Amino acid sequence: VSAVGVAAGVMLASCGGRVYKVVGDDMEPNYQAGQVITSIPVPTKTITRAEPVVYQLDNGDIHFKRVVG
């Protein structure tokens, strides 16, 4: 599993960032279905509890969730 922190920035393309569209209501009220988010890769060890992350499973599914543990 690879993880990326959510951030907005002008340097998105040059730092390996990606743009995603939020699907579903799991992240409300902070993020609404249809909202566009951007992400940039960050070292896994810098991610902290309650931070939103985008990650991809081995089967290719991409998820946007908040860290709980």
Side-chain angles (χ1 to χ4, degrees), residues 26-63:
D26 290 356
M27 296 294 284
E28 287 185 357
N30 298 85
Y31 303 93
Q32 287 74 41
Q35 183 175 350
V36 174
I37 60 168
T38 57
S39 68
I40 57 171
V42 297
T44 305
K45 61 176 93 173
T46 65
I47 298 171
T48 59
R49 185 179 299 197
E51 230 178 338
V53 294
V54 175
Y55 60 94
Q56 185 171 13
L57 300 176
D58 291 336
N59 68 2
D61 289 351
I62 297 173
H63 294 268

PDB file of all heavy atoms in Angstrom, residues 26-63:
ATOM      1  N   ASP A  26     -18.269   9.350   2.604  1.00  0.00           N
ATOM      2  CA  ASP A  26     -17.479   8.912   3.768  1.00  0.00           C
ATOM      3  C   ASP A  26     -16.672  10.033   4.424  1.00  0.00           C
ATOM      4  O   ASP A  26     -16.421   9.985   5.622  1.00  0.00           O
ATOM      5  CB  ASP A  26     -16.500   7.801   3.383  1.00  0.00           C
ATOM      6  CG  ASP A  26     -17.202   6.503   3.071  1.00  0.00           C
ATOM      7  OD1 ASP A  26     -18.441   6.437   3.222  1.00  0.00           O
ATOM      8  OD2 ASP A  26     -16.506   5.556   2.673  1.00  0.00           O
ATOM      9  N   MET A  27     -16.254  11.017   3.651  1.00  0.00           N
ATOM     10  CA  MET A  27     -15.368  12.060   4.180  1.00  0.00           C
ATOM     11  C   MET A  27     -16.099  13.357   4.526  1.00  0.00           C
ATOM     12  O   MET A  27     -15.472  14.357   4.844  1.00  0.00           O
ATOM     13  CB  MET A  27     -14.241  12.342   3.190  1.00  0.00           C
ATOM     14  CG  MET A  27     -13.317  11.159   2.958  1.00  0.00           C
ATOM     15  SD  MET A  27     -12.373  10.709   4.416  1.00  0.00           S
ATOM     16  CE  MET A  27     -11.156  12.011   4.426  1.00  0.00           C
ATOM     17  N   GLU A  28     -17.428  13.370   4.455  1.00  0.00           N
ATOM     18  CA  GLU A  28     -18.184  14.582   4.821  1.00  0.00           C
ATOM     19  C   GLU A  28     -18.064  14.823   6.321  1.00  0.00           C
ATOM     20  O   GLU A  28     -17.889  13.878   7.077  1.00  0.00           O
ATOM     21  CB  GLU A  28     -19.649  14.428   4.422  1.00  0.00           C
ATOM     22  CG  GLU A  28     -19.836  14.522   2.930  1.00  0.00           C
ATOM     23  CD  GLU A  28     -21.301  14.503   2.508  1.00  0.00           C
ATOM     24  OE1 GLU A  28     -22.191  14.357   3.359  1.00  0.00           O
ATOM     25  OE2 GLU A  28     -21.539  14.628   1.313  1.00  0.00           O
ATOM     26  N   PRO A  29     -18.092  16.031   6.809  1.00  0.00           N
ATOM     27  CA  PRO A  29     -18.431  17.264   6.105  1.00  0.00           C
ATOM     28  C   PRO A  29     -17.220  17.963   5.483  1.00  0.00           C
ATOM     29  O   PRO A  29     -17.376  18.958   4.801  1.00  0.00           O
ATOM     30  CB  PRO A  29     -19.031  18.138   7.200  1.00  0.00           C
ATOM     31  CG  PRO A  29     -18.262  17.763   8.417  1.00  0.00           C
ATOM     32  CD  PRO A  29     -17.998  16.277   8.256  1.00  0.00           C
ATOM     33  N   ASN A  30     -16.013  17.452   5.692  1.00  0.00           N
ATOM     34  CA  ASN A  30     -14.826  18.140   5.181  1.00  0.00           C
ATOM     35  C   ASN A  30     -14.662  18.046   3.662  1.00  0.00           C
ATOM     36  O   ASN A  30     -14.169  18.979   3.035  1.00  0.00           O
ATOM     37  CB  ASN A  30     -13.565  17.603   5.858  1.00  0.00           C
ATOM     38  CG  ASN A  30     -13.596  17.839   7.348  1.00  0.00           C
ATOM     39  OD1 ASN A  30     -14.162  17.040   8.079  1.00  0.00           O
ATOM     40  ND2 ASN A  30     -13.033  18.934   7.802  1.00  0.00           N
ATOM     41  N   TYR A  31     -15.037  16.920   3.099  1.00  0.00           N
ATOM     42  CA  TYR A  31     -14.906  16.702   1.661  1.00  0.00           C
ATOM     43  C   TYR A  31     -16.228  16.139   1.154  1.00  0.00           C
ATOM     44  O   TYR A  31     -16.710  15.141   1.666  1.00  0.00           O
ATOM     45  CB  TYR A  31     -13.769  15.719   1.354  1.00  0.00           C
ATOM     46  CG  TYR A  31     -12.440  16.170   1.900  1.00  0.00           C
ATOM     47  CD1 TYR A  31     -12.006  15.756   3.155  1.00  0.00           C
ATOM     48  CD2 TYR A  31     -11.627  17.025   1.166  1.00  0.00           C
ATOM     49  CE1 TYR A  31     -10.794  16.182   3.666  1.00  0.00           C
ATOM     50  CE2 TYR A  31     -10.408  17.452   1.671  1.00  0.00           C
ATOM     51  CZ  TYR A  31     -10.000  17.023   2.920  1.00  0.00           C
ATOM     52  OH  TYR A  31      -8.803  17.447   3.423  1.00  0.00           O
ATOM     53  N   GLN A  32     -16.801  16.783   0.131  1.00  0.00           N
ATOM     54  CA  GLN A  32     -18.091  16.368  -0.399  1.00  0.00           C
ATOM     55  C   GLN A  32     -17.912  15.553  -1.684  1.00  0.00           C
ATOM     56  O   GLN A  32     -16.947  15.736  -2.419  1.00  0.00           O
ATOM     57  CB  GLN A  32     -18.973  17.589  -0.713  1.00  0.00           C
ATOM     58  CG  GLN A  32     -19.515  18.286   0.519  1.00  0.00           C
ATOM     59  CD  GLN A  32     -18.454  19.094   1.247  1.00  0.00           C
ATOM     60  OE1 GLN A  32     -17.647  19.752   0.623  1.00  0.00           O
ATOM     61  NE2 GLN A  32     -18.449  19.034   2.566  1.00  0.00           N
ATOM     62  N   ALA A  33     -18.885  14.686  -1.951  1.00  0.00           N
ATOM     63  CA  ALA A  33     -18.889  13.909  -3.193  1.00  0.00           C
ATOM     64  C   ALA A  33     -18.811  14.862  -4.373  1.00  0.00           C
ATOM     65  O   ALA A  33     -19.488  15.880  -4.410  1.00  0.00           O
ATOM     66  CB  ALA A  33     -20.141  13.051  -3.270  1.00  0.00           C
ATOM     67  N   GLY A  34     -17.931  14.545  -5.313  1.00  0.00           N
ATOM     68  CA  GLY A  34     -17.760  15.382  -6.495  1.00  0.00           C
ATOM     69  C   GLY A  34     -16.653  16.417  -6.359  1.00  0.00           C
ATOM     70  O   GLY A  34     -16.213  16.982  -7.351  1.00  0.00           O
ATOM     71  N   GLN A  35     -16.217  16.674  -5.132  1.00  0.00           N
ATOM     72  CA  GLN A  35     -15.152  17.650  -4.905  1.00  0.00           C
ATOM     73  C   GLN A  35     -13.842  17.119  -5.489  1.00  0.00           C
ATOM     74  O   GLN A  35     -13.558  15.928  -5.434  1.00  0.00           O
ATOM     75  CB  GLN A  35     -14.987  17.899  -3.412  1.00  0.00           C
ATOM     76  CG  GLN A  35     -13.954  18.947  -3.072  1.00  0.00           C
ATOM     77  CD  GLN A  35     -13.925  19.235  -1.566  1.00  0.00           C
ATOM     78  OE1 GLN A  35     -14.787  18.805  -0.810  1.00  0.00           O
ATOM     79  NE2 GLN A  35     -12.919  19.960  -1.152  1.00  0.00           N
ATOM     80  N   VAL A  36     -13.042  18.008  -6.064  1.00  0.00           N
ATOM     81  CA  VAL A  36     -11.745  17.636  -6.621  1.00  0.00           C
ATOM     82  C   VAL A  36     -10.676  17.916  -5.571  1.00  0.00           C
ATOM     83  O   VAL A  36     -10.655  18.983  -4.964  1.00  0.00           O
ATOM     84  CB  VAL A  36     -11.462  18.418  -7.921  1.00  0.00           C
ATOM     85  CG1 VAL A  36     -10.063  18.140  -8.434  1.00  0.00           C
ATOM     86  CG2 VAL A  36     -12.499  18.069  -8.975  1.00  0.00           C
ATOM     87  N   ILE A  37      -9.803  16.922  -5.341  1.00  0.00           N
ATOM     88  CA  ILE A  37      -8.689  17.078  -4.403  1.00  0.00           C
ATOM     89  C   ILE A  37      -7.388  16.808  -5.148  1.00  0.00           C
ATOM     90  O   ILE A  37      -7.381  16.164  -6.193  1.00  0.00           O
ATOM     91  CB  ILE A  37      -8.809  16.118  -3.198  1.00  0.00           C
ATOM     92  CG1 ILE A  37      -8.808  14.660  -3.665  1.00  0.00           C
ATOM     93  CG2 ILE A  37     -10.027  16.444  -2.358  1.00  0.00           C
ATOM     94  CD1 ILE A  37      -8.628  13.661  -2.557  1.00  0.00           C
ATOM     95  N   THR A  38      -6.319  17.327  -4.622  1.00  0.00           N
ATOM     96  CA  THR A  38      -4.998  17.036  -5.162  1.00  0.00           C
ATOM     97  C   THR A  38      -4.169  16.369  -4.074  1.00  0.00           C
ATOM     98  O   THR A  38      -4.412  16.572  -2.886  1.00  0.00           O
ATOM     99  CB  THR A  38      -4.284  18.311  -5.649  1.00  0.00           C
ATOM    100  OG1 THR A  38      -4.194  19.238  -4.575  1.00  0.00           O
ATOM    101  CG2 THR A  38      -5.030  18.949  -6.795  1.00  0.00           C
ATOM    102  N   SER A  39      -3.225  15.558  -4.485  1.00  0.00           N
ATOM    103  CA  SER A  39      -2.382  14.874  -3.517  1.00  0.00           C
ATOM    104  C   SER A  39      -0.944  14.881  -3.996  1.00  0.00           C
ATOM    105  O   SER A  39      -0.674  14.963  -5.196  1.00  0.00           O
ATOM    106  CB  SER A  39      -2.858  13.436  -3.310  1.00  0.00           C
ATOM    107  OG  SER A  39      -2.630  12.686  -4.477  1.00  0.00           O
ATOM    108  N   ILE A  40      -0.031  14.813  -3.053  1.00  0.00           N
ATOM    109  CA  ILE A  40       1.388  14.698  -3.354  1.00  0.00           C
ATOM    110  C   ILE A  40       1.962  13.569  -2.505  1.00  0.00           C
ATOM    111  O   ILE A  40       1.501  13.338  -1.388  1.00  0.00           O
ATOM    112  CB  ILE A  40       2.160  16.014  -3.097  1.00  0.00           C
ATOM    113  CG1 ILE A  40       1.988  16.473  -1.653  1.00  0.00           C
ATOM    114  CG2 ILE A  40       1.731  17.103  -4.064  1.00  0.00           C
ATOM    115  CD1 ILE A  40       2.888  17.626  -1.253  1.00  0.00           C
ATOM    116  N   PRO A  41       2.946  12.858  -3.026  1.00  0.00           N
ATOM    117  CA  PRO A  41       3.559  11.782  -2.246  1.00  0.00           C
ATOM    118  C   PRO A  41       4.287  12.339  -1.020  1.00  0.00           C
ATOM    119  O   PRO A  41       4.932  13.383  -1.096  1.00  0.00           O
ATOM    120  CB  PRO A  41       4.565  11.163  -3.212  1.00  0.00           C
ATOM    121  CG  PRO A  41       4.185  11.649  -4.566  1.00  0.00           C
ATOM    122  CD  PRO A  41       3.496  12.962  -4.368  1.00  0.00           C
ATOM    123  N   VAL A  42       4.145  11.651   0.090  1.00  0.00           N
ATOM    124  CA  VAL A  42       4.878  11.996   1.314  1.00  0.00           C
ATOM    125  C   VAL A  42       5.406  10.705   1.924  1.00  0.00           C
ATOM    126  O   VAL A  42       4.825   9.632   1.716  1.00  0.00           O
ATOM    127  CB  VAL A  42       3.992  12.743   2.341  1.00  0.00           C
ATOM    128  CG1 VAL A  42       3.510  14.071   1.790  1.00  0.00           C
ATOM    129  CG2 VAL A  42       2.818  11.900   2.785  1.00  0.00           C
ATOM    130  N   PRO A  43       6.489  10.776   2.690  1.00  0.00           N
ATOM    131  CA  PRO A  43       6.982   9.573   3.360  1.00  0.00           C
ATOM    132  C   PRO A  43       5.917   9.029   4.317  1.00  0.00           C
ATOM    133  O   PRO A  43       5.297   9.781   5.068  1.00  0.00           O
ATOM    134  CB  PRO A  43       8.209  10.052   4.130  1.00  0.00           C
ATOM    135  CG  PRO A  43       8.625  11.314   3.439  1.00  0.00           C
ATOM    136  CD  PRO A  43       7.354  11.928   2.921  1.00  0.00           C
ATOM    137  N   THR A  44       5.692   7.726   4.278  1.00  0.00           N
ATOM    138  CA  THR A  44       4.668   7.101   5.110  1.00  0.00           C
ATOM    139  C   THR A  44       4.828   7.449   6.577  1.00  0.00           C
ATOM    140  O   THR A  44       3.848   7.696   7.273  1.00  0.00           O
ATOM    141  CB  THR A  44       4.704   5.570   4.917  1.00  0.00           C
ATOM    142  OG1 THR A  44       4.568   5.293   3.523  1.00  0.00           O
ATOM    143  CG2 THR A  44       3.574   4.895   5.660  1.00  0.00           C
ATOM    144  N   LYS A  45       6.056   7.503   7.068  1.00  0.00           N
ATOM    145  CA  LYS A  45       6.266   7.762   8.499  1.00  0.00           C
ATOM    146  C   LYS A  45       5.892   9.180   8.926  1.00  0.00           C
ATOM    147  O   LYS A  45       5.807   9.456  10.112  1.00  0.00           O
ATOM    148  CB  LYS A  45       7.690   7.420   8.924  1.00  0.00           C
ATOM    149  CG  LYS A  45       8.766   8.214   8.239  1.00  0.00           C
ATOM    150  CD  LYS A  45      10.143   7.896   8.780  1.00  0.00           C
ATOM    151  CE  LYS A  45      10.796   6.810   7.966  1.00  0.00           C
ATOM    152  NZ  LYS A  45      12.174   6.565   8.308  1.00  0.00           N
ATOM    153  N   THR A  46       5.636  10.084   7.986  1.00  0.00           N
ATOM    154  CA  THR A  46       5.239  11.448   8.349  1.00  0.00           C
ATOM    155  C   THR A  46       3.731  11.606   8.488  1.00  0.00           C
ATOM    156  O   THR A  46       3.252  12.647   8.917  1.00  0.00           O
ATOM    157  CB  THR A  46       5.748  12.474   7.313  1.00  0.00           C
ATOM    158  OG1 THR A  46       5.104  12.234   6.064  1.00  0.00           O
ATOM    159  CG2 THR A  46       7.251  12.411   7.162  1.00  0.00           C
ATOM    160  N   ILE A  47       2.982  10.580   8.111  1.00  0.00           N
ATOM    161  CA  ILE A  47       1.520  10.638   8.181  1.00  0.00           C
ATOM    162  C   ILE A  47       1.072  10.417   9.625  1.00  0.00           C
ATOM    163  O   ILE A  47       1.538   9.506  10.294  1.00  0.00           O
ATOM    164  CB  ILE A  47       0.892   9.579   7.256  1.00  0.00           C
ATOM    165  CG1 ILE A  47       1.294   9.866   5.815  1.00  0.00           C
ATOM    166  CG2 ILE A  47      -0.623   9.570   7.410  1.00  0.00           C
ATOM    167  CD1 ILE A  47       0.913   8.766   4.851  1.00  0.00           C
ATOM    168  N   THR A  48       0.160  11.277  10.096  1.00  0.00           N
ATOM    169  CA  THR A  48      -0.303  11.196  11.482  1.00  0.00           C
ATOM    170  C   THR A  48      -1.799  10.908  11.551  1.00  0.00           C
ATOM    171  O   THR A  48      -2.520  11.036  10.560  1.00  0.00           O
ATOM    172  CB  THR A  48      -0.003  12.508  12.236  1.00  0.00           C
ATOM    173  OG1 THR A  48      -0.665  13.574  11.570  1.00  0.00           O
ATOM    174  CG2 THR A  48       1.487  12.791  12.298  1.00  0.00           C
ATOM    175  N   ARG A  49      -2.243  10.552  12.748  1.00  0.00           N
ATOM    176  CA  ARG A  49      -3.650  10.249  12.984  1.00  0.00           C
ATOM    177  C   ARG A  49      -4.536  11.421  12.569  1.00  0.00           C
ATOM    178  O   ARG A  49      -4.181  12.573  12.759  1.00  0.00           O
ATOM    179  CB  ARG A  49      -3.855   9.954  14.461  1.00  0.00           C
ATOM    180  CG  ARG A  49      -5.263   9.513  14.793  1.00  0.00           C
ATOM    181  CD  ARG A  49      -5.409   9.206  16.225  1.00  0.00           C
ATOM    182  NE  ARG A  49      -4.492   8.112  16.554  1.00  0.00           N
ATOM    183  CZ  ARG A  49      -4.560   7.368  17.628  1.00  0.00           C
ATOM    184  NH1 ARG A  49      -5.488   7.600  18.507  1.00  0.00           N
ATOM    185  NH2 ARG A  49      -3.713   6.407  17.840  1.00  0.00           N
ATOM    186  N   ALA A  50      -5.684  11.104  12.002  1.00  0.00           N
ATOM    187  CA  ALA A  50      -6.717  12.047  11.556  1.00  0.00           C
ATOM    188  C   ALA A  50      -6.376  12.742  10.240  1.00  0.00           C
ATOM    189  O   ALA A  50      -7.180  13.503   9.728  1.00  0.00           O
ATOM    190  CB  ALA A  50      -7.040  13.082  12.627  1.00  0.00           C
ATOM    191  N   GLU A  51      -5.212  12.465   9.678  1.00  0.00           N
ATOM    192  CA  GLU A  51      -4.838  13.069   8.402  1.00  0.00           C
ATOM    193  C   GLU A  51      -5.544  12.349   7.255  1.00  0.00           C
ATOM    194  O   GLU A  51      -5.651  11.126   7.261  1.00  0.00           O
ATOM    195  CB  GLU A  51      -3.320  12.930   8.197  1.00  0.00           C
ATOM    196  CG  GLU A  51      -2.672  14.202   7.835  1.00  0.00           C
ATOM    197  CD  GLU A  51      -1.167  14.049   7.695  1.00  0.00           C
ATOM    198  OE1 GLU A  51      -0.552  13.125   8.229  1.00  0.00           O
ATOM    199  OE2 GLU A  51      -0.623  14.922   7.019  1.00  0.00           O
ATOM    200  N   PRO A  52      -6.056  13.090   6.264  1.00  0.00           N
ATOM    201  CA  PRO A  52      -6.639  12.420   5.103  1.00  0.00           C
ATOM    202  C   PRO A  52      -5.530  11.902   4.195  1.00  0.00           C
ATOM    203  O   PRO A  52      -4.513  12.568   4.005  1.00  0.00           O
ATOM    204  CB  PRO A  52      -7.446  13.526   4.424  1.00  0.00           C
ATOM    205  CG  PRO A  52      -6.793  14.791   4.857  1.00  0.00           C
ATOM    206  CD  PRO A  52      -6.193  14.535   6.208  1.00  0.00           C
ATOM    207  N   VAL A  53      -5.726  10.700   3.652  1.00  0.00           N
ATOM    208  CA  VAL A  53      -4.734  10.114   2.745  1.00  0.00           C
ATOM    209  C   VAL A  53      -5.428   9.477   1.551  1.00  0.00           C
ATOM    210  O   VAL A  53      -6.571   9.042   1.625  1.00  0.00           O
ATOM    211  CB  VAL A  53      -3.852   9.038   3.441  1.00  0.00           C
ATOM    212  CG1 VAL A  53      -2.997   9.667   4.516  1.00  0.00           C
ATOM    213  CG2 VAL A  53      -4.681   7.911   4.000  1.00  0.00           C
ATOM    214  N   VAL A  54      -4.724   9.449   0.453  1.00  0.00           N
ATOM    215  CA  VAL A  54      -5.140   8.725  -0.740  1.00  0.00           C
ATOM    216  C   VAL A  54      -4.167   7.562  -0.860  1.00  0.00           C
ATOM    217  O   VAL A  54      -2.956   7.750  -0.769  1.00  0.00           O
ATOM    218  CB  VAL A  54      -5.053   9.615  -1.996  1.00  0.00           C
ATOM    219  CG1 VAL A  54      -5.378   8.807  -3.245  1.00  0.00           C
ATOM    220  CG2 VAL A  54      -5.971  10.817  -1.881  1.00  0.00           C
ATOM    221  N   TYR A  55      -4.702   6.352  -1.029  1.00  0.00           N
ATOM    222  CA  TYR A  55      -3.815   5.197  -1.173  1.00  0.00           C
ATOM    223  C   TYR A  55      -4.393   4.226  -2.195  1.00  0.00           C
ATOM    224  O   TYR A  55      -5.591   4.224  -2.474  1.00  0.00           O
ATOM    225  CB  TYR A  55      -3.590   4.501   0.174  1.00  0.00           C
ATOM    226  CG  TYR A  55      -4.843   3.982   0.838  1.00  0.00           C
ATOM    227  CD1 TYR A  55      -5.246   2.668   0.654  1.00  0.00           C
ATOM    228  CD2 TYR A  55      -5.623   4.811   1.636  1.00  0.00           C
ATOM    229  CE1 TYR A  55      -6.407   2.188   1.263  1.00  0.00           C
ATOM    230  CE2 TYR A  55      -6.778   4.337   2.242  1.00  0.00           C
ATOM    231  CZ  TYR A  55      -7.160   3.025   2.050  1.00  0.00           C
ATOM    232  OH  TYR A  55      -8.302   2.562   2.641  1.00  0.00           O
ATOM    233  N   GLN A  56      -3.489   3.429  -2.756  1.00  0.00           N
ATOM    234  CA  GLN A  56      -3.894   2.470  -3.775  1.00  0.00           C
ATOM    235  C   GLN A  56      -3.598   1.058  -3.288  1.00  0.00           C
ATOM    236  O   GLN A  56      -2.497   0.762  -2.831  1.00  0.00           O
ATOM    237  CB  GLN A  56      -3.151   2.732  -5.082  1.00  0.00           C
ATOM    238  CG  GLN A  56      -3.619   1.857  -6.222  1.00  0.00           C
ATOM    239  CD  GLN A  56      -3.026   2.289  -7.551  1.00  0.00           C
ATOM    240  OE1 GLN A  56      -2.101   3.078  -7.608  1.00  0.00           O
ATOM    241  NE2 GLN A  56      -3.577   1.770  -8.622  1.00  0.00           N
ATOM    242  N   LEU A  57      -4.584   0.195  -3.401  1.00  0.00           N
ATOM    243  CA  LEU A  57      -4.428  -1.201  -3.022  1.00  0.00           C
ATOM    244  C   LEU A  57      -3.721  -1.968  -4.138  1.00  0.00           C
ATOM    245  O   LEU A  57      -3.625  -1.488  -5.275  1.00  0.00           O
ATOM    246  CB  LEU A  57      -5.793  -1.831  -2.747  1.00  0.00           C
ATOM    247  CG  LEU A  57      -6.620  -1.193  -1.628  1.00  0.00           C
ATOM    248  CD1 LEU A  57      -7.986  -1.870  -1.535  1.00  0.00           C
ATOM    249  CD2 LEU A  57      -5.889  -1.285  -0.305  1.00  0.00           C
ATOM    250  N   ASP A  58      -3.238  -3.154  -3.827  1.00  0.00           N
ATOM    251  CA  ASP A  58      -2.556  -3.978  -4.819  1.00  0.00           C
ATOM    252  C   ASP A  58      -3.438  -4.303  -6.020  1.00  0.00           C
ATOM    253  O   ASP A  58      -2.938  -4.497  -7.126  1.00  0.00           O
ATOM    254  CB  ASP A  58      -2.061  -5.281  -4.186  1.00  0.00           C
ATOM    255  CG  ASP A  58      -0.921  -5.043  -3.197  1.00  0.00           C
ATOM    256  OD1 ASP A  58      -0.232  -4.009  -3.326  1.00  0.00           O
ATOM    257  OD2 ASP A  58      -0.730  -5.883  -2.310  1.00  0.00           O
ATOM    258  N   ASN A  59      -4.755  -4.334  -5.826  1.00  0.00           N
ATOM    259  CA  ASN A  59      -5.664  -4.637  -6.938  1.00  0.00           C
ATOM    260  C   ASN A  59      -5.972  -3.410  -7.795  1.00  0.00           C
ATOM    261  O   ASN A  59      -6.746  -3.479  -8.741  1.00  0.00           O
ATOM    262  CB  ASN A  59      -6.965  -5.259  -6.424  1.00  0.00           C
ATOM    263  CG  ASN A  59      -7.823  -4.293  -5.634  1.00  0.00           C
ATOM    264  OD1 ASN A  59      -7.494  -3.117  -5.482  1.00  0.00           O
ATOM    265  ND2 ASN A  59      -8.941  -4.784  -5.113  1.00  0.00           N
ATOM    266  N   GLY A  60      -5.378  -2.258  -7.451  1.00  0.00           N
ATOM    267  CA  GLY A  60      -5.549  -1.038  -8.234  1.00  0.00           C
ATOM    268  C   GLY A  60      -6.603  -0.085  -7.713  1.00  0.00           C
ATOM    269  O   GLY A  60      -6.680   1.061  -8.168  1.00  0.00           O
ATOM    270  N   ASP A  61      -7.441  -0.521  -6.774  1.00  0.00           N
ATOM    271  CA  ASP A  61      -8.463   0.362  -6.205  1.00  0.00           C
ATOM    272  C   ASP A  61      -7.804   1.520  -5.464  1.00  0.00           C
ATOM    273  O   ASP A  61      -6.847   1.319  -4.719  1.00  0.00           O
ATOM    274  CB  ASP A  61      -9.362  -0.389  -5.230  1.00  0.00           C
ATOM    275  CG  ASP A  61     -10.300  -1.377  -5.919  1.00  0.00           C
ATOM    276  OD1 ASP A  61     -10.373  -1.368  -7.158  1.00  0.00           O
ATOM    277  OD2 ASP A  61     -10.952  -2.154  -5.194  1.00  0.00           O
ATOM    278  N   ILE A  62      -8.334   2.726  -5.663  1.00  0.00           N
ATOM    279  CA  ILE A  62      -7.821   3.924  -4.994  1.00  0.00           C
ATOM    280  C   ILE A  62      -8.831   4.361  -3.947  1.00  0.00           C
ATOM    281  O   ILE A  62     -10.034   4.427  -4.220  1.00  0.00           O
ATOM    282  CB  ILE A  62      -7.565   5.048  -6.019  1.00  0.00           C
ATOM    283  CG1 ILE A  62      -6.477   4.593  -7.002  1.00  0.00           C
ATOM    284  CG2 ILE A  62      -7.173   6.341  -5.319  1.00  0.00           C
ATOM    285  CD1 ILE A  62      -6.259   5.535  -8.159  1.00  0.00           C
ATOM    286  N   HIS A  63      -8.339   4.653  -2.743  1.00  0.00           N
ATOM    287  CA  HIS A  63      -9.201   5.058  -1.627  1.00  0.00           C
ATOM    288  C   HIS A  63      -8.743   6.398  -1.052  1.00  0.00           C
ATOM    289  O   HIS A  63      -7.557   6.698  -1.045  1.00  0.00           O
ATOM    290  CB  HIS A  63      -9.167   3.992  -0.520  1.00  0.00           C
ATOM    291  CG  HIS A  63      -9.769   2.705  -0.936  1.00  0.00           C
ATOM    292  ND1 HIS A  63     -11.091   2.405  -0.735  1.00  0.00           N
ATOM    293  CD2 HIS A  63      -9.233   1.639  -1.565  1.00  0.00           C
ATOM    294  CE1 HIS A  63     -11.342   1.210  -1.216  1.00  0.00           C
ATOM    295  NE2 HIS A  63     -10.226   0.711  -1.725  1.00  0.00           N
TER     296      HIS A  63
END
